[in-house]
């Protein structure tokens, strides 16, 4: 496998924030959809002790790096931050399609080539 160092960072405002019980299975499905292999996890926990910072969080170690997702479910719409970094290639559109189950109202992202100089990569986002 050629190492390609691709990284997508998403900021999502969504009407249907995942619960702590839903988040780990969602991440597992994402790993499968982007063609990666799980090494550890996914593991999720619910932050409940810090007002303004409550909501589920989940991490998964994949063969080529990691996926992390944090949800702030006290706001309306909920704020979801998603980070997918891999040394293998993947289609960023698959990630964006996968978040649609949360009924996003706003999606912001940066798709980076971390091989040299953290270059921004443009791609056509699905409608």
């Amino acid at each position: 496998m050629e190492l390609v160092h691709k990284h997508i960072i998403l900021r999502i405002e969504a009407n249907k924030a995942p619960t702590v019980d839903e988040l780990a299975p969602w991440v597992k499905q994402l790993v499968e959809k982007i063609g990666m292999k799980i090494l550890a996890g996914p593991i999720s926990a619910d932050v409940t002790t810090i007002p303004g910072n409550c909501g589920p969080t989940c991490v998964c170690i994949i063969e080529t790096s990691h996926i992390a997702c944090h949800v702030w479910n006290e706001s309306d719409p909920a704020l979801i931050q998603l980070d997918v970094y891999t040394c293998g290639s993947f289609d960023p559109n698959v990630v964006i399609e996968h978040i649609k189950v949360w009924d996003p109202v706003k999606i912001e992202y940066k798709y980076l080539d971390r091989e040299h100089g953290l270059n921004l990569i443009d791609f056509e986002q699905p409608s």
Side-chain angles (χ1 to χ4, degrees):
M1 173 177 65
E2 178 185 351
L3 300 181
V4 293
H5 303 283
K6 299 298 188 247
H7 192 168
I8 189 166
I9 302 164
L10 298 108
R11 181 188 186 281
I12 305 142
E13 293 177 16
N15 289 321
K16 297 178 184 174
T19 66
V20 68
D21 294 329
E22 295 168 337
L23 196 52
W26 182 91
V27 168
K28 184 177 180 182
Q29 290 173 347
L30 177 60
V31 172
E32 293 168 2
K33 285 182 176 182
I34 63 173
M36 299 297 155
K37 180 181 175 187
I38 293 175
L39 290 183
I43 184 169
S44 60
D46 207 2
V47 177
T48 60
T49 57
I50 305 171
N53 196 40
C54 292
T57 189
C58 184
V59 294
C60 185
I61 300 170
I62 57 176
E63 190 172 55
T64 54
S65 196
H66 72 271
I67 295 175
C69 187
H70 309 283
V71 179
W72 288 262
N73 58 13
E74 294 174 309
S75 60
D76 186 23
L79 173 62
I80 303 167
Q81 300 274 10
L82 176 62
D83 181 49
V84 179
Y85 172 51
T86 176
C87 299
S89 61
F90 69 94
D91 183 351
N93 291 310
V94 172
V95 177
I96 291 173
E97 283 295 322
H98 195 59
I99 66 174
K100 289 186 177 178
V101 68
W102 298 332
D103 189 21
V105 294
K106 184 176 183 182
I107 301 171
E108 297 176 302
Y109 66 88
K110 292 210 182 280
Y111 183 45
L112 303 169
D113 180 349
R114 291 177 52 160
E115 180 69 24
H116 302 287
L118 292 175
N119 296 312
L120 191 61
I121 303 169
D122 289 324
F123 70 98
E124 289 295 320
Q125 188 174 336
S127 53

